[in-house]
């Protein structure tokens, strides 16, 4: 059982650290409002994982995955949301040269938990992962519901640890990112990456 658990941990860890929408959304939040608010985005992403995990354990995620119409709806909504966030990041990069008040930063930070949540809930890759791959990683000696719950919680913990560490590294790079030109360039790059991820999601087969 320990060998099976170690294999599952390795697969989940690899899938967690691969760059994707989560890292792009967290980067956008860190650039726009700072590391503290970026952690709110991480919390939103983790909440989205737990929601999909609960739906998977309840069997609802498999129903959605088996419905082409529902899957396409989530797919295009998710792609559109990523492209919206990318366009927003590009717009914010144009205003990066202007000084912003702390109050404005706090106001912007209030919606970052929701941003992480929505971007994750509208990610159809999570449906495929939780209904296709995750059951194959479940320890065979435990009841199916308990096994899936354990793996979902493990994935959530790994996501918090990885994305939290990523935010910490971004905060340590604050001096490098301090010049407005650097922040604008990184903001544009993040915006382009989000739009590219949205386009890739919209045009992906399956």
């Amino acid at each position: 059982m320990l060998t099976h658990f170690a294999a599952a941990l390795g697969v989940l860890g690899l899938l967690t650290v691969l760059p994707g929408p989560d890292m792009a959304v967290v980067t956008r939040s860190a650039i726009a409002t700072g590391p503290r608010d970026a952690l709110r985005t991480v919390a939103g992403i983790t909440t989205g994982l737990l929601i999909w995990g609960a739906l998977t354990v309840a069997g609802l995620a498999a129903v959605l995955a088996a419905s082409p119409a529902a899957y396409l709806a989530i797919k295009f909504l998710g792609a559109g949301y990523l492209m919206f966030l990318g366009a927003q990041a590009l717009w914010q990069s144009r205003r990066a040269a202007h000084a912003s008040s702390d109050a404005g930063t706090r106001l912007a930070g209030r919606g970052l938990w929701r941003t992480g949540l929505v971007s994750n809930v509208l990610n159809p890759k999570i449906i495929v992962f939780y209904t296709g791959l995750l059951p194959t990683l479940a320890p065979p000696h435990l009841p199916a519901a308990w096994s899936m719950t354990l793996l979902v919680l493990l994935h959530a913990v790994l996501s918090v640890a990885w994305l939290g560490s990523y935010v910490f590294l971004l905060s340590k790079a604050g001096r490098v990112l301090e010049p407005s030109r650097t922040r604008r360039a990184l903001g544009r790059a993040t915006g382009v990456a989000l739009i590219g991820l949205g386009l890739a999601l919209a045009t992906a087969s399956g």
Side-chain angles (χ1 to χ4, degrees):
M1 182 174 176
L2 289 177
T3 303
H4 195 99
F5 183 79
L9 179 64
V11 173
L12 288 172
L14 179 61
L15 292 173
T16 299
V17 302
L18 287 175
D22 289 348
M23 286 188 67
V25 171
V26 170
T27 303
R28 168 188 172 274
S29 299
I31 294 171
T33 57
R36 180 177 297 180
D37 286 329
L39 291 176
R40 297 184 184 182
T41 304
V42 173
I45 290 170
T46 307
T47 304
L49 291 176
L50 294 176
I51 289 174
W52 276 122
L55 290 174
T56 301
V57 173
L60 297 179
V63 173
L64 289 176
S67 171
Y71 181 83
L72 284 176
I74 294 175
K75 173 182 175 178
F76 288 119
L77 283 172
Y81 189 66
L82 287 176
M83 288 187 281
F84 166 75
L85 292 178
Q88 195 174 54
L90 290 175
W91 172 253
Q92 288 172 344
S93 70
R94 295 184 59 184
R95 304 173 59 188
H98 301 288
S100 57
S101 65
D102 291 338
T105 299
R106 287 194 297 269
L107 181 62
R110 292 174 185 172
L112 294 178
W113 178 86
R114 184 174 62 251
T115 296
L117 173 66
V118 173
S119 66
N120 193 273
V121 167
L122 294 181
N123 186 355
K125 303 292 185 182
I126 300 297
I127 308 177
V128 175
F129 171 58
Y130 274 15
T131 60
L133 180 60
L134 203 62
T136 67
L137 302 176
H141 303 296
L142 292 176
W146 284 102
S147 298
M148 292 296 293
T149 300
L150 177 64
L151 290 178
V152 168
L153 292 176
L154 178 60
H155 188 211
V157 170
L158 289 173
S159 297
V160 170
W162 170 248
L163 293 174
S165 299
Y166 178 62
V167 171
F168 175 77
L169 291 175
L170 287 177
S171 69
K172 289 299 182 181
R175 292 183 180 179
V176 178
L177 301 178
E178 189 62 31
S180 59
R181 286 186 180 180
T182 304
R183 295 186 71 87
R184 288 200 301 272
L186 188 55
R188 292 190 190 104
T190 303
V192 171
L194 283 166
I195 292 173
L197 287 167
L199 290 172
L201 178 59
T203 57
S205 59

